[in-house]
């Protein structure tokens, strides 16, 4: 019932020459069963959307401002992402929470702005290693979910990505039981608030690669992945997409 989603986050990587990866991905996977999303840096968004037009790859932003327009030098409004060809925007990534002090309340305001502009918000949550070691993972995730997800969230306009901070870019991943515990918890918590919680896609993110993708995709309530490093090369991301398609 939930269409799976393979989402790539290029972070602060990629120049115009990198757009060849999008063409390579679309050529190798012209009609995937799963949805495919790539979120390049803002400088490449319009060009990527143009190259991806008519193919399977959707394009998204990595952040947006909570306001619709105004005097905010260097920021990008949700409607601008949409205008440039985006269908989605990643919000509340742990790197933005850490580098820019983004709070749950700010992430929620950004998600409301994304929804108002007609974008799907990919809202990220995750515990630090210290929080996991302290046994507070579900408390942390529950608080982030309550604080970051707006009341207007639906299965159509919101995707949740569970990304343990200590697993991002480190090559380390939680056990499948740990992933299942958090994803089952997320599903149950969403059901307390959203009428169509059963339809909300829950992505796992943090060191997903071709060699661990199939196991992760076979895990309870995992509907896809948010992939950083392994989304930069079409061969790697394509292999993850293939694993998702056959999950
Ligand atoms: P990674 O990043 O796949 O490079 O660990 C994931 C993310 O931050 O979305």
């Amino acid at each position: 019932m939930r269409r799976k989603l393979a989402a790539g986050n290029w972070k602060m990587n990629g120049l115009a020459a990198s757009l060849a990866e999008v063409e390579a991905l679309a050529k190798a996977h012209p009609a995937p069963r799963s949805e495919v999303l790539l979120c390049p840096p803002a400088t490449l968004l319009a060009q990527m959307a143009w190259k991806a037009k008519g193919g399977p790859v959707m394009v998204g932003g990595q952040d947006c401002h909570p306001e619709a327009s105004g005097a905010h030098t260097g920021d990008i409004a949700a409607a601008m992402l949409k205008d440039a060809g985006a269908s989605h925007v990643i919000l509340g990534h742990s790197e933005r929470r850490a580098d820019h002090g983004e709070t749950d309340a700010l992430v929620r305001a950004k998600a409301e702005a994304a929804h108002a502009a007609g974008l799907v918000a990919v809202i990220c949550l995750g515990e630090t290693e210290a929080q996991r070691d302290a046994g507070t993972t579900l408390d942390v995730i529950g608080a982030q979910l309550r604080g970051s997800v707006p009341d207007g969230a639906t299965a159509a306009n919101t995707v949740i990505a569970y990304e343990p901070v200590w697993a991002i870019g480190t090559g380390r991943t939680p056990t499948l039981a740990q992933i299942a515990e958090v994803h089952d918890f997320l599903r149950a918590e969403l059901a307390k608030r959203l009428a169509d919680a059963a339809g909300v896609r829950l992505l796992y993110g943090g060191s997903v690669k071709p060699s661990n993708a199939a196991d992760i995709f076979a895990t309870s309530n995992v509907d896809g992945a948010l992939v950083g490093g392994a989304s930069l090369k079409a061969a790697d991301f394509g292999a993850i997409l293939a694993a998702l398609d056959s999950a």
Side-chain angles (χ1 to χ4, degrees):
M1 131 182 96
R2 292 185 294 273
R3 184 136 183 238
K4 307 217 182 264
L5 172 62
N9 173 11
W10 279 14
K11 309 190 180 184
M12 198 172 73
N13 298 292
L15 299 172
S18 320
L19 295 171
E21 299 298 331
V22 184
E23 289 166 317
L25 182 68
K27 198 166 170 223
H29 303 272
R33 290 175 56 201
S34 310
E35 288 186 350
V36 191
L37 170 69
L38 279 177
C39 301
T43 46
L44 292 182
L45 202 146
Q47 286 183 77
M48 186 185 280
W50 183 251
K51 282 210 189 290
K53 216 177 168 76
V57 180
M58 302 181 292
V59 175
Q62 298 178 9
D63 177 47
C64 71
H65 194 277
E67 288 175 30
S69 64
H72 301 287
T73 302
D75 279 313
I76 300 177
M80 295 171 179
L81 297 175
K82 176 89 177 172
D83 188 53
S87 52
H88 295 63
V89 60
I90 297 170
L91 295 172
H93 190 282
S94 64
E95 288 152 14
R96 291 209 60 87
R97 291 178 187 260
D99 294 356
H100 301 276
E102 293 199 2
T103 60
D104 290 333
L106 179 61
V107 175
R108 184 187 192 117
K110 290 181 174 196
E112 284 167 349
H115 292 159
L119 294 175
V120 177
V122 180
I123 301 175
C124 304
L125 319 161
E127 83 285 1
T128 63
E129 185 156 37
Q131 288 165 335
R132 177 160 285 278
D133 289 347
T136 58
T137 295
L138 295 186
D139 296 335
V140 169
I141 300 290
Q144 288 178 337
L145 189 73
R146 281 190 299 280
S148 305
V149 176
D151 292 333
T154 67
N157 69 17
T158 302
V159 172
I160 307 292
Y162 167 54
E163 299 204 304
V165 177
W166 51 274
I168 293 175
T170 60
R172 298 167 58 204
T173 53
T175 65
L176 299 176
Q178 287 171 330
I179 295 174
E181 181 188 35
V182 173
H183 281 237
D184 291 350
F185 173 76
L186 285 170
R187 181 78 59 211
E189 288 296 296
L190 285 171
K192 294 178 187 167
R193 277 184 62 195
L194 309 182
D196 61 357
V200 176
R201 270 86 59 84
L202 304 180
L203 309 184
Y204 168 77
S207 297
V208 176
K209 49 195 175 212
S211 59
N212 62 17
D215 284 344
I216 290 170
F217 295 149
T219 302
S220 174
N221 274 311
V222 174
D223 304 308
L226 181 54
V227 183
S231 72
L232 294 170
K233 290 280 167 246
D236 290 338
F237 195 50
I240 291 168
L241 173 60
L244 187 59
D245 272 358
S246 51

